[in-house]
Amino acid sequence: MKAYKAYCLDVDGTIYRGEQSIEHAADFVRRLQDKGIEPFYVTNNASKTQAQLCERLANFGITADPECILSSAITAAKYIHRWYAGKSVYFIGTDAMGEALRAEGISCVERNADIVVTGLDWGISYDKLAQACLDIRNGATFLSTNRDVAFPSERGFLPGNGAFTALISTSTGVDPIFIGKPESHMLEAIRHEHGFRKDEMVMVGDNYDTDILAGIRFGIDTIHVNTGVSRMEDVLTKDVPPTWTIENLEEWEVI
Ligand SMILES: [Mg+2]
Protein backbone atom coordinates (compact mmCIF):
# COMPACT_ATOMS: atom_id res chain seq x y z
CA MET A 1 0.00 0.00 0.00
CA LYS A 2 1.10 3.53 -0.69
CA ALA A 3 -0.26 6.85 0.54
CA TYR A 4 -1.93 8.83 -2.25
CA LYS A 5 -3.58 12.25 -2.03
CA ALA A 6 -5.76 12.02 -5.15
CA TYR A 7 -7.81 8.87 -5.69
CA CYS A 8 -9.41 9.05 -9.15
CA LEU A 9 -12.24 6.51 -9.18
CA ASP A 10 -14.01 5.03 -12.14
CA VAL A 11 -17.70 4.55 -11.33
CA ASP A 12 -19.38 1.87 -13.51
CA GLY A 13 -17.84 -1.48 -12.59
CA THR A 14 -15.94 0.07 -9.68
CA ILE A 15 -18.63 1.73 -7.51
CA TYR A 16 -21.80 0.36 -9.08
CA ARG A 17 -22.85 -2.00 -11.83
CA GLY A 18 -25.95 -0.64 -13.54
CA GLU A 19 -28.47 -0.35 -10.70
CA GLN A 20 -26.49 -2.56 -8.36
CA SER A 21 -23.98 -1.29 -5.85
CA ILE A 22 -20.59 -2.99 -5.72
CA GLU A 23 -19.70 -4.35 -2.33
CA HIS A 24 -17.21 -2.33 -0.23
CA ALA A 25 -17.19 0.68 -2.59
CA ALA A 26 -19.21 3.04 -0.39
CA ASP A 27 -17.24 1.92 2.64
CA PHE A 28 -13.97 2.56 0.78
CA VAL A 29 -15.06 6.13 -0.01
CA ARG A 30 -16.00 6.63 3.66
CA ARG A 31 -12.57 5.36 4.76
CA LEU A 32 -10.92 7.87 2.39
CA GLN A 33 -13.10 10.70 3.69
CA ASP A 34 -12.29 9.71 7.30
CA LYS A 35 -8.63 10.32 6.43
CA GLY A 36 -9.51 13.71 4.94
CA ILE A 37 -9.21 12.53 1.33
CA GLU A 38 -12.09 13.58 -0.97
CA PRO A 39 -11.94 11.25 -3.95
CA PHE A 40 -12.50 12.21 -7.58
CA TYR A 41 -14.94 10.38 -9.85
CA VAL A 42 -14.04 10.06 -13.53
CA THR A 43 -16.58 8.72 -16.01
CA ASN A 44 -16.78 8.59 -19.81
CA ASN A 45 -20.54 9.14 -19.49
CA ALA A 46 -21.27 12.52 -21.10
CA SER A 47 -25.06 12.45 -20.90
CA LYS A 48 -25.54 13.25 -17.19
CA THR A 49 -24.96 16.52 -15.34
CA GLN A 50 -22.71 16.84 -12.30
CA ALA A 51 -25.87 17.05 -10.13
CA GLN A 52 -27.35 13.90 -11.72
CA LEU A 53 -24.11 11.98 -11.26
CA CYS A 54 -23.91 13.23 -7.67
CA GLU A 55 -27.45 12.02 -7.02
CA ARG A 56 -26.66 8.64 -8.57
CA LEU A 57 -23.68 8.25 -6.22
CA ALA A 58 -25.90 9.28 -3.30
CA ASN A 59 -28.28 6.43 -4.22
CA PHE A 60 -25.36 4.08 -3.62
CA GLY A 61 -24.59 5.62 -0.23
CA ILE A 62 -21.79 7.91 -1.37
CA THR A 63 -21.67 11.59 -0.46
CA ALA A 64 -19.59 13.14 -3.23
CA ASP A 65 -18.38 16.69 -3.66
CA PRO A 66 -19.99 17.65 -7.03
CA GLU A 67 -16.82 19.56 -7.93
CA CYS A 68 -14.92 16.26 -7.73
CA ILE A 69 -17.07 14.59 -10.40
CA LEU A 70 -15.63 14.69 -13.92
CA SER A 71 -17.61 13.34 -16.83
CA SER A 72 -16.16 13.38 -20.35
CA ALA A 73 -18.49 16.33 -21.14
CA ILE A 74 -17.30 18.34 -18.12
CA THR A 75 -13.71 17.52 -19.04
CA ALA A 76 -14.31 18.57 -22.67
CA ALA A 77 -15.62 21.93 -21.43
CA LYS A 78 -12.61 22.40 -19.14
CA TYR A 79 -10.29 21.42 -22.02
CA ILE A 80 -11.87 23.99 -24.35
CA HIS A 81 -11.73 26.65 -21.63
CA ARG A 82 -8.04 25.96 -21.01
CA TRP A 83 -6.73 25.48 -24.55
CA TYR A 84 -9.25 27.27 -26.79
CA ALA A 85 -10.31 30.24 -24.65
CA GLY A 86 -12.76 32.58 -26.40
CA LYS A 87 -13.60 30.10 -29.18
CA SER A 88 -17.20 29.29 -30.12
CA VAL A 89 -18.60 25.76 -29.94
CA TYR A 90 -21.20 23.75 -31.82
CA PHE A 91 -22.13 20.70 -29.79
CA ILE A 92 -24.05 17.49 -30.25
CA GLY A 93 -25.08 16.19 -26.84
CA THR A 94 -27.63 16.25 -24.06
CA ASP A 95 -28.43 19.14 -21.71
CA ALA A 96 -25.56 17.88 -19.58
CA MET A 97 -23.12 18.90 -22.33
CA GLY A 98 -24.74 22.33 -22.69
CA GLU A 99 -24.59 22.84 -18.93
CA ALA A 100 -20.92 21.81 -18.78
CA LEU A 101 -20.00 24.25 -21.57
CA ARG A 102 -21.98 27.13 -20.01
CA ALA A 103 -20.34 26.46 -16.64
CA GLU A 104 -17.00 27.24 -18.29
CA GLY A 105 -18.39 30.40 -19.91
CA ILE A 106 -18.11 28.96 -23.43
CA SER A 107 -20.21 30.52 -26.19
CA CYS A 108 -22.35 27.93 -27.99
CA VAL A 109 -23.46 28.65 -31.56
CA GLU A 110 -25.69 26.92 -34.12
CA ARG A 111 -23.26 27.21 -37.05
CA ASN A 112 -19.80 28.47 -38.09
CA ALA A 113 -18.26 27.28 -34.83
CA ASP A 114 -14.53 27.26 -34.09
CA ILE A 115 -14.91 23.92 -32.33
CA VAL A 116 -17.28 20.99 -32.76
CA VAL A 117 -17.73 18.71 -29.76
CA THR A 118 -19.82 15.55 -29.78
CA GLY A 119 -21.25 13.46 -26.96
CA LEU A 120 -24.11 11.00 -26.72
CA ASP A 121 -27.33 12.74 -27.78
CA TRP A 122 -30.72 11.02 -27.52
CA GLY A 123 -32.10 13.50 -30.06
CA ILE A 124 -29.35 13.13 -32.69
CA SER A 125 -30.55 13.89 -36.21
CA TYR A 126 -29.31 14.20 -39.80
CA ASP A 127 -29.31 17.99 -39.40
CA LYS A 128 -27.10 17.91 -36.32
CA LEU A 129 -24.63 15.52 -37.96
CA ALA A 130 -24.64 17.60 -41.14
CA GLN A 131 -23.91 20.82 -39.23
CA ALA A 132 -21.04 19.19 -37.38
CA CYS A 133 -19.56 17.98 -40.68
CA LEU A 134 -19.98 21.37 -42.37
CA ASP A 135 -18.23 23.21 -39.51
CA ILE A 136 -15.39 20.67 -39.43
CA ARG A 137 -14.94 21.01 -43.23
CA ASN A 138 -14.74 24.76 -42.62
CA GLY A 139 -11.82 24.19 -40.27
CA ALA A 140 -13.44 23.73 -36.86
CA THR A 141 -11.45 21.68 -34.35
CA PHE A 142 -13.16 18.33 -33.74
CA LEU A 143 -13.49 17.02 -30.16
CA SER A 144 -15.36 13.90 -29.09
CA THR A 145 -16.18 12.89 -25.52
CA ASN A 146 -15.34 9.19 -25.90
CA ARG A 147 -14.70 6.25 -28.22
CA ASP A 148 -17.47 4.01 -26.87
CA VAL A 149 -19.18 2.62 -30.01
CA ALA A 150 -21.84 0.71 -28.08
CA PHE A 151 -23.21 0.62 -24.57
CA PRO A 152 -25.40 -1.92 -22.77
CA SER A 153 -29.09 -1.30 -22.10
CA GLU A 154 -32.14 -3.41 -21.28
CA ARG A 155 -32.76 -3.64 -25.06
CA GLY A 156 -29.22 -4.84 -25.79
CA PHE A 157 -26.19 -2.89 -27.02
CA LEU A 158 -27.11 0.55 -28.39
CA PRO A 159 -24.95 2.86 -30.57
CA GLY A 160 -22.68 5.05 -28.48
CA ASN A 161 -20.99 8.37 -29.12
CA GLY A 162 -18.01 6.65 -30.74
CA ALA A 163 -20.27 5.35 -33.51
CA PHE A 164 -21.57 8.83 -34.38
CA THR A 165 -18.04 10.21 -34.08
CA ALA A 166 -16.93 7.61 -36.66
CA LEU A 167 -19.70 8.77 -39.00
CA ILE A 168 -18.48 12.39 -38.80
CA SER A 169 -14.86 11.28 -39.17
CA THR A 170 -15.66 9.12 -42.20
CA SER A 171 -17.57 11.90 -43.91
CA THR A 172 -15.03 14.68 -43.25
CA GLY A 173 -11.77 12.71 -43.19
CA VAL A 174 -10.93 14.44 -39.90
CA ASP A 175 -10.04 12.47 -36.76
CA PRO A 176 -11.20 13.99 -33.46
CA ILE A 177 -9.36 14.65 -30.24
CA PHE A 178 -10.94 12.17 -27.83
CA ILE A 179 -11.43 13.42 -24.28
CA GLY A 180 -12.52 10.38 -22.24
CA LYS A 181 -10.49 7.43 -20.98
CA PRO A 182 -8.13 5.88 -22.17
CA GLU A 183 -7.00 9.40 -22.96
CA SER A 184 -5.66 11.14 -19.88
CA HIS A 185 -7.43 14.52 -20.14
CA MET A 186 -9.60 13.92 -17.04
CA LEU A 187 -6.56 13.12 -14.95
CA GLU A 188 -4.71 16.14 -16.33
CA ALA A 189 -7.73 18.34 -15.48
CA ILE A 190 -7.57 17.11 -11.86
CA ARG A 191 -3.81 17.63 -11.67
CA HIS A 192 -4.07 21.10 -13.22
CA GLU A 193 -6.94 22.34 -11.03
CA HIS A 194 -5.69 20.97 -7.73
CA GLY A 195 -1.94 21.11 -8.21
CA PHE A 196 -1.19 17.49 -7.37
CA ARG A 197 2.12 15.90 -8.28
CA LYS A 198 1.74 12.79 -10.42
CA ASP A 199 3.24 10.60 -7.70
CA GLU A 200 0.41 11.72 -5.38
CA MET A 201 -2.28 10.47 -7.78
CA VAL A 202 -3.73 7.04 -8.44
CA MET A 203 -6.32 5.85 -10.95
CA VAL A 204 -8.71 3.15 -9.69
CA GLY A 205 -10.87 1.14 -12.09
CA ASP A 206 -12.15 -2.17 -13.39
CA ASN A 207 -11.41 -1.76 -17.10
CA TYR A 208 -7.80 -2.19 -18.26
CA ASP A 209 -8.42 -0.70 -21.72
CA THR A 210 -9.90 2.55 -20.41
CA ASP A 211 -9.21 3.20 -16.70
CA ILE A 212 -5.85 1.54 -16.28
CA LEU A 213 -4.51 2.68 -19.68
CA ALA A 214 -5.54 6.28 -18.89
CA GLY A 215 -3.48 6.12 -15.70
CA ILE A 216 -0.51 4.45 -17.43
CA ARG A 217 -0.54 7.00 -20.27
CA PHE A 218 -0.70 9.87 -17.78
CA GLY A 219 2.20 8.40 -15.83
CA ILE A 220 0.52 7.76 -12.49
CA ASP A 221 0.01 4.62 -10.40
CA THR A 222 -3.04 2.46 -11.06
CA ILE A 223 -5.20 0.10 -8.99
CA HIS A 224 -7.18 -2.56 -10.84
CA VAL A 225 -10.29 -3.87 -9.06
CA ASN A 226 -11.61 -7.27 -10.10
CA THR A 227 -15.27 -6.22 -9.92
CA GLY A 228 -16.06 -5.29 -13.52
CA VAL A 229 -14.94 -5.66 -17.13
CA SER A 230 -11.31 -6.88 -17.02
CA ARG A 231 -10.40 -10.05 -15.16
CA MET A 232 -7.44 -10.01 -12.79
CA GLU A 233 -5.73 -12.97 -14.50
CA ASP A 234 -5.83 -11.09 -17.82
CA VAL A 235 -4.51 -7.75 -16.56
CA LEU A 236 -1.59 -9.53 -14.88
CA THR A 237 -0.42 -10.80 -18.31
CA LYS A 238 -0.31 -7.30 -19.88
CA ASP A 239 3.04 -5.83 -20.99
CA VAL A 240 2.35 -2.96 -18.60
CA PRO A 241 0.25 -4.36 -15.76
CA PRO A 242 -1.49 -2.12 -13.21
CA THR A 243 0.65 -0.97 -10.27
CA TRP A 244 -1.71 -2.82 -7.92
CA THR A 245 -4.35 -5.49 -8.46
CA ILE A 246 -7.01 -6.21 -5.83
CA GLU A 247 -10.16 -8.33 -5.73
CA ASN A 248 -12.27 -5.48 -4.35
CA LEU A 249 -11.90 -2.17 -2.55
CA GLU A 250 -12.07 -3.75 0.92
CA GLU A 251 -8.53 -5.00 0.29
CA TRP A 252 -7.13 -1.48 -0.06
CA GLU A 253 -5.92 -0.09 3.22
CA VAL A 254 -6.00 3.71 3.19
CA ILE A 255 -2.80 5.07 4.73
MG1 LIG B 1 -15.65 0.90 -15.26
Side-chain angles (χ1 to χ4, degrees):
M1 309 288 142
K2 188 185 152 184
Y4 298 102
K5 286 186 180 169
Y7 282 81
C8 307
L9 310 179
D10 168 56
V11 291
D12 218 333
T14 300
I15 290 176
Y16 48 71
R17 198 181 296 113
E19 296 309 314
Q20 247 190 333
S21 62
I22 291 178
E23 244 193 327
H24 312 300
D27 183 58
F28 170 71
V29 170
R30 237 169 278 125
R31 287 191 288 120
L32 287 174
Q33 290 169 333
D34 286 347
K35 296 266 181 183
I37 300 166
E38 193 57 49
F40 296 90
Y41 306 87
V42 292
T43 172
N44 275 3
N45 185 330
S47 66
K48 292 198 166 61
T49 64
Q50 226 161 18
Q52 288 166 336
L53 290 165
C54 198
E55 196 185 312
R56 191 156 163 72
L57 287 168
N59 291 339
F60 294 101
I62 290 171
T63 311
D65 175 351
E67 293 297 313
C68 292
I69 300 174
L70 275 90
S71 70
S72 55
I74 292 162
T75 309
K78 288 179 187 292
Y79 184 87
I80 293 166
H81 177 80
R82 182 173 174 193
W83 300 109
Y84 298 93
K87 302 289 187 191
S88 64
V89 171
Y90 176 75
F91 75 91
I92 293 176
T94 64
D95 292 345
M97 175 83 86
E99 183 183 298
L101 292 165
R102 282 192 300 276
E104 296 295 328
I106 293 161
S107 125
C108 296
V109 295
E110 292 302 315
R111 60 180 64 79
N112 301 325
D114 300 314
I115 295 166
V116 168
V117 56
T118 68
L120 193 59
D121 184 342
W122 312 113
I124 198 156
S125 65
Y126 186 87
D127 266 0
K128 287 185 182 182
L129 291 163
Q131 192 58 52
C133 289
L134 288 167
D135 283 357
I136 290 165
R137 283 182 183 276
N138 277 334
T141 300
F142 182 17
L143 305 185
S144 176
T145 53
N146 62 69
R147 296 175 187 272
D148 307 350
V149 292
F151 63 91
S153 80
E154 303 85 64
R155 295 158 68 193
F157 279 88
L158 300 178
N161 174 63
F164 298 105
T165 301
L167 185 154
I168 297 169
S169 270
T170 304
S171 177
T172 59
V174 176
D175 290 327
I177 299 166
F178 283 105
I179 296 296
K181 300 171 283 185
E183 265 56 60
S184 54
H185 299 296
M186 293 181 188
L187 300 172
E188 168 56 20
I190 292 168
R191 190 205 62 75
H192 178 69
E193 274 190 19
H194 299 269
F196 294 115
R197 294 195 318 264
K198 287 189 180 180
D199 64 0
E200 296 172 329
M201 300 175 68
V202 66
M203 176 69 214
V204 185
D206 65 296
N207 189 330
Y208 182 87
D209 296 319
T210 54
D211 306 320
I212 303 303
L213 270 187
I216 290 168
R217 287 180 179 180
F218 191 52
I220 64 174
D221 284 356
T222 55
I223 301 172
H224 174 259
V225 287
N226 200 23
T227 51
V229 170
S230 310
R231 307 312 307 164
M232 186 189 276
E233 58 263 36
D234 297 329
V235 306
L236 289 172
T237 66
K238 300 282 183 186
D239 286 344
V240 186
T243 316
W244 313 90
T245 48
I246 54 177
E247 273 304 328
N248 59 57
L249 289 168
E250 188 184 30
E251 281 184 20
W252 188 263
E253 189 191 339
V254 181
I255 52 174

